[in-house]
Amino acid sequence: MDQYTQLSIERFPDGVALVKLNDPPLNLLNPTMLAELQKAFDEMDRDDTMRAVVLTGSQRAFCAGWNVMTRLEKDGNDLNIGQICNNRIESSRLPVIAAIDGHCYGGGLELALACDIRFAAEEAKIGLTEANFSLTAAFGGNTRLPWLIGEANAKRMIYTAAKLSGAEALRYGVVQEVYPSAELIDKALELAHLIATKAPRTITVAKKTINGYRGDDFAVSLNRENTLCHYASRSEDSKEGKAAMREKRQPKFRNR
């Protein structure tokens, strides 16, 4: 595989790949990382020997969100690249398991939601926390989260900017299994290796069928999410939210 600057990829003989986000300390999303993820999945999908992928970060952070210092404001390109990357992962022929440890907020959770299955460490902290800063989940979170866990649970998470523990995320249905941090990667790889023993075309058909019937609804919703996000993210409240984050204080929102 090609060399990557913000990913590390370990291949196993049975066609399993362990893909790690590698931009410490918090694995914040940025255009380079998103482009490398797309490139990696393009490459893996073309490889007929590939069977399954585990996507993870570090013990400190799966991904703590979007790096606001690299936000691309012009024409909403920052939103498009995030949605395009997550759509690419979701549309991969390969089953993708997210192994979530540490911080997993905002765009990091949106990335995990684009995966097929999510495992979390007990110590993980998981949430769409944009309401703390007058931002919005523009990489598919407002679309995928209610689909996966139900409208009321998603609204409660988003409206309160909740940071769920691994156990709480399991109770909500955000993740499917929770393990001690030391066991998380091994457990995710164990499932990936099991999947690798099954007929790959059967799994591809199942994935495309399960994902496919919601496709038109998702396309409309993702476009709406992209269009509406500027209502929050380009507001005076958004500037206040970012300033409060930098200054480590409580923001004072004015609905402007």
Side-chain angles (χ1 to χ4, degrees):
M1 284 190 175
D2 292 334
Q3 294 299 309
Y4 296 91
T5 62
Q6 298 194 353
L7 302 178
S8 66
I9 302 177
E10 182 180 359
R11 291 280 299 269
F12 295 88
D14 62 352
V16 170
L18 176 62
V19 178
K20 291 185 178 181
L21 307 181
N22 186 29
D23 188 19
L26 295 175
N27 291 321
L28 295 174
L29 294 175
N30 60 75
T32 299
M33 183 182 288
L34 293 172
E36 289 189 359
L37 280 167
Q38 291 179 71
K39 182 178 180 181
F41 275 89
D42 285 344
E43 188 173 342
M44 290 187 292
D45 269 355
R46 289 194 299 266
D47 185 343
D48 287 342
T49 69
M50 285 297 303
R51 296 292 181 265
V53 179
V54 173
L55 177 63
T56 193
S58 66
Q59 190 172 20
R60 180 174 179 183
F62 172 80
C63 173
W66 177 258
N67 186 344
V68 295
M69 300 303 293
T70 64
R71 180 167 290 278
L72 306 174
E73 296 290 354
K74 186 177 179 181
D75 298 327
N77 288 332
D78 51 332
L79 314 176
N80 291 335
I81 60 175
Q83 285 195 5
I84 290 168
C85 177
N86 289 347
N87 290 345
R88 177 65 190 88
I89 292 170
E90 188 173 62
S91 66
S92 170
R93 70 173 180 84
L94 301 165
V96 185
I97 304 160
I100 303 168
D101 205 349
H103 303 301
C104 180
Y105 303 139
L109 178 53
E110 291 177 288
L111 176 63
L113 293 174
C115 299
D116 297 287
I117 299 164
R118 285 157 295 283
F119 286 1
E122 294 169 344
E123 300 84 352
K125 291 296 182 183
I126 298 169
L128 294 179
T129 56
E130 286 83 355
N132 285 330
F133 313 108
S134 192
L135 300 173
T136 189
F139 294 176
N142 290 318
T143 297
R144 291 188 176 93
L145 187 64
W147 181 273
L148 292 168
I149 70 171
E151 286 188 11
N153 281 335
K155 287 175 179 177
R156 183 173 180 178
M157 279 185 64
I158 294 167
Y159 294 175
T160 64
K163 296 179 180 180
L164 305 182
S165 67
E168 289 169 329
L170 178 64
R171 188 167 67 247
Y172 269 69
V174 179
V175 302
Q176 283 65 60
E177 299 286 351
V178 174
Y179 299 101
S181 181
E183 299 177 18
L184 176 66
I185 300 300
D186 287 343
K187 291 295 186 180
L189 285 171
E190 182 180 307
L191 177 60
H193 289 307
L194 174 61
I195 292 171
T197 68
K198 310 306 177 185
R201 293 198 174 192
T202 300
I203 292 168
T204 297
V205 168
K207 178 171 180 175
K208 289 186 179 296
T209 302
I210 293 168
N211 288 355
Y213 74 89
R214 68 188 189 190
D216 290 342
D217 290 340
F218 265 37
V220 172
S221 183
L222 289 169
N223 183 65
R224 182 182 297 115
E225 188 174 283
N226 195 340
T227 301
L228 290 176
C229 77
H230 300 301
Y231 175 73
S233 63
R234 293 186 177 177
S235 64
E236 291 298 318
D237 277 352
S238 180
K239 294 177 183 177
E240 164 64 11
K242 293 173 188 176
M245 178 170 53
R246 288 192 300 269
E247 297 163 11
K248 301 184 185 305
R249 61 174 173 80
Q250 199 64 21
K252 297 179 181 179
F253 295 129
R254 303 171 64 192
N255 196 23
R256 295 182 181 175

